[in-house]
């Protein structure tokens, strides 16, 4: 879950809401180490922007390396507290970082005109409650909540290669952006605690970030800082989870999740205050984030076993369908994870685990949008089956 398609990192997680204790607090963290390596990189737009503006290519970079280490490791924190109100209502408040990305192939590769470094961060503050009632052998639970999101990030690329020119500029351009919005969730769950059965279905709404504002800094190309504005929406999602005891001290569990990443196609940014509409390549157009994502699917299943009153363990296999349509290296990922839980007392639980997986191979190049406009014309490259690994830990305290 911490290395899924699109911009997903931790995603949404409300499992703490189901904890049977009256008050439960939890802090967790996962460190993910993707190792995506770029090869056969070719600068496919060798036009120059200096001294005569003839195109956005930045010059011919094919004398630079055709390989690069694209990805950076990252940490995914989460913290929350759940409180039971009487016997029927549970409420949870939590902080998470559901979305993010960090690629850093650097300056000295043939695709620096497309990307030197890109980083996206998010913060999510949520409140979720449920109301449960008796139904048959178990309990039925209605779930609802709201969340506030802040998304920010930057991207740098080589606008012009000044190698050989006697100018005091690096040629690097940078865009900084920030937006925020509010979303909501609703869902339902059915539980039979005696056999550890729980089935839940939760919908999380899209988050309209409104005006995503920022700046395009071209001072290192001999130009100026341009205030820009655009619009973007973070995706809606639906997740179904199921778990059940299958034998004494044995538990089977699984989940299926859909995320509407196709809502992010071409995100245009135009000059602030421009008198015309912001359209790709239009009079007020400054730059864009070309994503052309497709929807993401994540399917996971596993087995858990309780060894004694203090120790239990679990193993999980996860498939995540990549969201790329050819503009990024976010292909399918297969991950195997294992973890253990230690309960030294009835009030404390410590979990720790690790995961290893394969990010499948592919290539990046020209892709046409629904209007027939080509994107990804600045660089092409390939990548093989690369490794991703992760370590995680959490502490839960109950009162």
């Amino acid at each position: 879950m911490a290395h899924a398609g699109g911009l997903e990192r931790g995603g949404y997680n409300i499992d703490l809401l189901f904890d049977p204790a009256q008050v439960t607090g939890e802090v967790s963290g996962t460190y993910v180490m993707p190792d995506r390596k770029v090869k056969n990189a070719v600068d496919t737009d060798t036009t120059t922007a200096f001294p005569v503006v003839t195109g956005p290519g930045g010059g011919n970079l094919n004398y630079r390396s055709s390989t690069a280490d694209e990805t950076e490791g990252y940490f995914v924190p989460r913290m929350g507290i759940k409180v039971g109100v009487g016997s029927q209502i549970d409420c949870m408040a939590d902080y998470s970082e559901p979305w993010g990305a960090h690629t850093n192939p650097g300056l000295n590769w043939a695709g620096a005109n497309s990307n030197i470094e890109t980083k996206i961060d998010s913060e999510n503050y949520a409140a979720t409650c449920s109301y449960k009632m008796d139904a048959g052998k178990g309990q039925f639970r209605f779930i609802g909540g709201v969340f506030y999101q802040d998304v920010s990030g930057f991207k740098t690329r080589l606008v012009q290669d000044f190698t050989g020119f006697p100018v005091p500029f690096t040629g690097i351009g940078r865009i900084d952006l920030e937006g925020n919005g509010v979303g909501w969730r609703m869902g339902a769950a059915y539980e039979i605690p005696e056999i550890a059965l729980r089935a839940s279905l939760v919908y999380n709404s899209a988050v309209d970030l409104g005006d995503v504002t920022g700046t395009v800094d071209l001072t290192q190309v001999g130009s100026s800082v341009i205030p820009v504005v655009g619009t973007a929406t973070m995706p809606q999602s639906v997740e179904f989870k199921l778990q059940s005891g299958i034998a004494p001290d044995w538990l089977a569990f699984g989940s299926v999740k859909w995320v509407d990443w196709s809502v992010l196609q071409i995100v245009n940014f135009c000059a602030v205050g421009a008198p015309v509409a912001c359209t790709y390549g239009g009079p007020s157009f400054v730059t864009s984030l070309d994503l052309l994502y497709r929807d993401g699917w994540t399917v996971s299943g596993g087995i858990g076993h309780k060894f004694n009153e203090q120790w239990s363990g679990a193993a999980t296999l996860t498939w995540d369908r990549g969201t790329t349509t050819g503009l990024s290296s976010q292909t399918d990922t297969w991950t195997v994870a294992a973890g253990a839980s230690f309960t030294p007392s009835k009030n404390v639980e410590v979990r720790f685990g690790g995961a290893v997986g394969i990010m499948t191979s592919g290539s990046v190049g020209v892709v046409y949008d629904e209007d027939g406009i080509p994107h990804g014309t600045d660089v092409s490259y390939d990548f093989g089956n690369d490794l991703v690994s992760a370590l995680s830990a959490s502490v839960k305290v109950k009162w």
Side-chain angles (χ1 to χ4, degrees):
M1 286 283 296
H3 192 78
L7 303 177
E8 185 159 359
R9 282 195 172 169
Y12 300 123
N13 190 319
I14 63 168
D15 288 350
L16 185 63
L17 187 68
F18 298 98
D19 193 282
Q22 193 70 14
V23 180
T24 305
E26 183 177 29
V27 176
S28 67
T30 301
Y31 188 74
V32 183
M33 296 160 281
D35 189 24
R36 178 65 90 189
K37 296 183 182 299
V38 170
K39 58 184 179 180
N40 305 325
V42 176
D43 180 359
T44 54
D45 185 350
T46 58
T47 56
T48 180
F50 181 87
V52 178
V53 177
T54 59
N60 190 342
L61 306 182
N62 285 315
Y63 68 93
R64 303 190 183 197
S65 175
S66 62
T67 64
D69 294 330
E70 184 184 44
T71 49
E72 293 279 352
Y74 56 87
F75 182 70
V76 184
R78 183 185 302 274
M79 60 185 69
I81 186 167
K82 172 260 179 183
V83 178
V85 182
S87 60
Q88 295 179 300
I89 298 175
D90 294 293
C91 287
M92 177 186 76
D94 70 291
Y95 167 85
S96 63
E97 298 180 5
W99 320 123
H102 193 186
T103 60
N104 189 17
L107 179 62
N108 296 313
W109 75 299
N113 61 343
S114 175
N115 182 31
I116 296 175
E117 183 177 10
T118 300
K119 188 176 184 184
I120 297 174
D121 295 305
S122 67
E123 294 186 303
N124 190 82
Y125 303 88
T128 307
C129 290
S130 70
Y131 177 81
K132 56 189 176 184
M133 63 183 68
D134 293 335
K137 296 181 179 180
Q139 292 182 319
F140 188 82
R141 188 187 296 247
F142 295 97
I143 301 168
V146 295
F147 45 89
Y148 167 83
Q149 261 174 42
D150 184 89
V151 181
S152 61
F154 71 87
K155 178 178 181 177
T156 59
R157 73 175 188 91
L158 192 65
V159 178
Q160 174 58 46
D161 181 12
F162 283 122
T163 303
F165 289 100
V167 294
F169 304 123
T170 65
I172 296 173
R174 177 182 173 115
I175 181 171
D176 288 271
L177 301 166
E178 183 172 10
N180 55 71
V182 176
W184 54 273
R185 64 171 51 106
M186 63 179 298
Y190 183 70
E191 303 163 275
I192 303 179
E194 289 76 14
I195 59 172
L197 173 70
R198 181 196 304 149
S200 64
L201 181 66
V202 177
Y203 168 80
N204 296 282
S205 77
V207 178
D208 183 356
L209 298 179
D211 286 340
V212 180
T213 58
T215 57
V216 173
D217 186 346
L218 297 176
T219 56
Q220 289 301 314
V221 193
S223 186
S224 60
V225 176
I226 305 170
V228 294
V229 63
T231 59
T233 299
M234 301 311 294
Q236 60 184 333
S237 67
V238 179
E239 184 169 21
F240 174 73
K241 291 185 175 182
L242 176 65
Q243 69 170 51
S244 178
I246 54 175
D249 296 328
W250 287 90
L251 180 76
F253 54 89
S255 65
V256 177
K257 180 174 63 176
W258 167 78
V259 184
D260 185 23
W261 282 115
S262 61
V263 73
L264 287 173
Q265 294 293 298
I266 306 299
V267 185
N268 299 318
F269 293 97
C270 295
V272 171
V276 294
C278 184
T279 58
Y280 185 82
S284 62
F285 177 81
V286 177
T287 189
S288 64
L289 295 179
D290 298 357
L291 300 172
L292 292 181
Y293 283 153
R294 65 175 181 172
D295 289 351
W297 286 90
T298 305
V299 181
S300 181
I303 296 290
H305 179 58
K306 181 179 179 181
F307 299 103
N308 53 48
E309 292 304 315
Q310 290 187 315
W311 288 95
S312 61
T316 309
L317 174 65
T318 301
W319 168 73
D320 185 85
R321 189 182 86 155
T323 55
T324 182
T325 56
L327 291 182
S328 73
S329 61
Q330 293 172 321
T331 52
D332 290 13
T333 302
W334 290 88
T335 310
V336 176
S341 172
F342 175 58
T343 308
S345 72
K346 66 179 182 179
N347 300 107
V348 178
E349 180 183 4
V350 179
R351 295 184 179 186
F352 48 92
V356 64
I358 295 294
M359 301 179 292
T360 56
S361 61
S363 61
V364 166
V366 177
V367 177
Y368 292 86
D369 65 22
E370 60 183 9
D371 296 321
I373 300 172
H375 301 271
T377 59
D378 44 8
V379 66
S380 67
Y381 56 86
D382 303 317
F383 46 89
N385 294 317
D386 293 320
L387 183 71
V388 58
S389 56
L391 296 172
S392 67
S394 69
V395 177
K396 184 184 291 185
V397 180
K398 306 178 183 183
W399 294 272

